[in-house]
Amino acid sequence: MSQPSLSLVDTDPAELVVDAIVIGLHSQPDEGGALLPAAGAESIAAAFDGKLTSTLALLGASGAPGEVTKLATLGTIAAPLIVAVGLGDEPSGSAPEREKLRRGTGAAVRALAGSATVALALPVPDDQDAPGVLRAILEGALLGGYRFAGYKTKAQPRRRDPVAALQVHVPDAADAAAGAEVTRAEIVGRSVRLARDWVNMAPNELRPPQFADAVVAAVQGTGLQVEVLGLEELRSAGYGGIVAVGQGSEAPPRLVKITYVPEGVSSPKKVALVGKGITFDTGGISIKPTAGMWEMKSDMAGAAAIGGAMLAIAALKPPVAVSGYLAMAENMPSGSSYRPGDVITMFNGKRVEVFNTDAEGRMVLGDAIARACADGAEYVFEVSTLTGGQVVALGKRIAGLMGSADAVELIRAAGDRVGEPAWPMPLPDEVRKGMESDIADICQTNNAMDRAGHMLQGGVFLREFVADGVEWAHIDIAGPGYNAGEAHGHWTKGGTGVPVRTLLQAVEDLT
Ligand code: BES
Ligand code: MN
Ligand code: ZN
């Protein structure tokens, strides 16, 4: 579904003729629990003759972060409906405060499905913090307002329609920096939506050839170059890992390379973004249990995020050379599947002894990372729904982060800044020792099938495919890539689009 239109306004919010208006509410624990309207809501509070916050309190509002309270305005202001969103303590402009605003705005816009036009009268300061705060509000609004079009054959009730138009109140609507944030938010919003859409698609509708075609279609007209390797090319060029994983499926694997070259930059830094694109992961011969298997339609969330990020990069035009590598395969059990015990020769020549066909992500990624290094990448940022161990260790919202020190810190800081946290994890020597193979260069998992340090085994394995001197980060998004639970903040149900915004921030931070 298309994204809401964005416009900036600097007229009195109380007079905006819209279906609903969003204001912020701070909790004030030190002053007897009284609530304080956030900046931006002054004229609305005045229209209520000092009774706005007491009325909201009567309705149960506490100002807690993310809380949403609706109030009919009964003619006090032009908009018929106020949505007050809790923002916690008073803001300081810091990253955690901005994140409260991003999530709160997301929750408010999500709660406003059915309202065609919505105004946001939220606290945008009149100082150097303004662009960052505005960015958080705009991203929260666009992402919280996302809905997957889906496959329903019956028309859905209008009250479920996502918000169509957003007016955002700022101190000066003609300010160039504010205008630039709107342009950026539209680009970023579209990219995250696309990544979410791909993840949310049914796996029979997005097998590797269709996924590759969809990526090719999405980059048309963006100035990006795209190259698709099919089965024969993968086989003859020695992509043993991608071919092995894909060989159990009737739908052949693909490696899609998307290239962005900055204009007028002599010897730019070279970044590769590599994504796991398993369009469905049954586990293969090492088949998974039935419960929850359907969620493995999200096993291409890494590749979806890379595709989304590349589209945003094409529009944002950073002075960095960025290539995306989307390693696509469907992991199926069949008479032609790869087997536990197989020895596979990977793109960089290393031989891998397969122990568990369900550890397929590292097989396709090893090839893609090696290809990125062969292409001369100086930085490799790889994203994958790689291990259940990540979810056990860090939960559903925090990614696991491994790699070389500088790249890990770059990604950690970028994720922190944009509200997509990733936590650094080690790559211990003993984990590598546990992956020694009797007959090949490395086992694909621990050679005693010991699941201890499960997430780390993935990182240790992938390190084997990173060329010397290349800065690399492995971002395991098994948890944060897909929200199977209820929506919260700007995370809707299903694909989250994590870590598109982290990757954009990291690329921009390299300049
Ligand atoms: N795609 C899964 C990992 C996963 C699990 C992603 C849960 C999202 C949610 C991956 O391919 C997998 O099956 N990993 C195995 C590895 C094991 C066989 C070494 C796992 O985590 O159990
Ligand atoms: Mn698997
Ligand atoms: Zn998988």
Side-chain angles (χ1 to χ4, degrees), residues 91-165:
S92 62
S94 64
E97 294 296 342
R98 286 200 307 268
E99 186 52 19
K100 272 186 209 157
L101 208 45
R102 192 185 278 108
R103 292 185 192 186
T105 311
V109 172
R110 202 156 41 70
L112 279 168
S115 302
T117 56
V118 169
L120 307 176
L122 289 163
V124 182
D126 204 357
D127 58 22
Q128 77 284 356
D129 286 340
V133 170
L134 184 56
R135 183 177 297 187
I137 291 171
L138 296 173
E139 287 179 354
L142 291 183
L143 302 187
Y146 166 87
R147 197 178 80 194
F148 179 53
Y151 304 97
K152 288 183 189 289
T153 55
K154 258 172 80 180
Q156 294 300 291
R158 296 258 318 264
R159 67 185 155 72
R160 290 198 49 213
D161 278 357
V163 173

Side-chain angles (χ1 to χ4, degrees), residues 164-223:
L166 286 160
Q167 298 180 15
V168 186
H169 189 263
V170 288
D172 177 8
D175 179 57
E181 288 301 330
V182 169
T183 305
R184 183 193 159 94
E186 285 169 341
I187 292 166
V188 172
R190 268 199 303 274
S191 302
V192 173
R193 276 164 182 270
L194 187 61
R196 286 182 179 181
D197 277 349
W198 280 330
V199 172
N200 291 335
M201 283 179 74
N204 60 325
E205 296 283 326
L206 196 81
R207 298 176 91 194
Q210 288 147 300
F211 191 12
D213 289 349
V215 171
V216 169
V219 306
Q220 286 317 309
T222 61

Side-chain angles (χ1 to χ4, degrees), residues 433-449:
K433 285 207 187 81
M435 296 172 79
E436 275 304 316
S437 165
D438 289 340
I439 59 173
D441 297 319
I442 187 171
C443 283
Q444 172 212 30
T445 64
N446 177 277
N447 57 27
M449 295 292 282

